[in-house]
């Protein structure tokens, strides 16, 4: 919530089922007026911690490929491009956009961070 009691953003880690039960999908929404202020980064960081608590090995997130700031934020958190689906999303204007799937290997990333002593600061 922001200082006025409005919802600033929302994040969820949704575990997948069956043969992908080791994977979680991140869903992240930030209020338009608060974008670019670090809210999304804090929520995404929380999602990674939650994935570890849930015992997930991998996180994925889907973003529109040309949202450069959003892609850069997830890349800075250890997500890497894994798939590009051409013309997969129809935006409100009716235009088609590419969908980028980014993945984060939770266990590998956190093991590296623990060795470097970074985990304690989170």
């Amino acid at each position: 919530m922001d200082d006025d009691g409005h919802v600033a953003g929302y994040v969820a880690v949704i575990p997948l089922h069956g043969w992908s039960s080791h994977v979680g999908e991140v869903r992240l929404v930030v209020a338009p007026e608060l974008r670019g202020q670090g809210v999304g980064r804090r929520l995404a960081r929380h999602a990674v911690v939650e994935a570890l608590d849930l015992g997930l090995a991998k996180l994925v997130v889907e973003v529109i490929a040309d949202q450069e700031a959003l892609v850069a934020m997830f890349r800075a958190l250890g997500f890497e491009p894994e798939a590009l689906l051409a013309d997969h999303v129809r935006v409100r204007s009716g235009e088609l956009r590419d969908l980028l799937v980014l993945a984060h290997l939770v266990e590998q990333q956190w093991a590296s961070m623990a060795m470097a002593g970074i985990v304690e600061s989170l």
Side-chain angles (χ1 to χ4, degrees), residues 63-64 85-91 94-100:
V63 299
I64 295 175
L85 304 174
D87 295 336
H88 197 76
V89 176
R90 185 180 310 273
V91 296
E95 293 179 78
L96 296 176
R97 298 278 172 79
D98 296 345
L99 182 74
L100 179 62

Side-chain angles (χ1 to χ4, degrees), residues 32-98:
E33 66 275 9
L34 296 175
R35 292 178 185 160
Q37 297 180 30
V39 174
R41 183 176 307 279
R42 287 191 301 275
L43 290 172
R45 221 182 266 148
H46 177 76
V48 174
V49 172
E50 184 65 22
L52 196 60
D53 289 345
L54 291 171
L56 298 172
K58 181 178 182 178
L59 281 177
V60 294
V61 64
E62 298 176 347
V63 299
I64 295 175
D66 62 6
Q67 292 179 321
E68 294 175 9
L70 185 59
V71 172
M73 180 200 75
F74 278 110
R75 300 262 342 241
L77 292 173
F79 285 78
E80 294 292 331
E82 192 163 88
L84 181 68
L85 304 174
D87 295 336
H88 197 76
V89 176
R90 185 180 310 273
V91 296
R92 288 184 182 149
S93 67
E95 293 179 78
L96 296 176
R97 298 278 172 79
D98 296 345

Side-chain angles (χ1 to χ4, degrees), residues 5-29:
H6 298 106
V7 174
Y10 164 85
V11 69
V13 175
I14 301 163
L16 302 183
H17 300 282
W19 60 15
S20 295
S21 61
H22 63 292
V23 180
E25 180 183 348
V26 175
R27 296 202 184 152
L28 175 70
V29 179

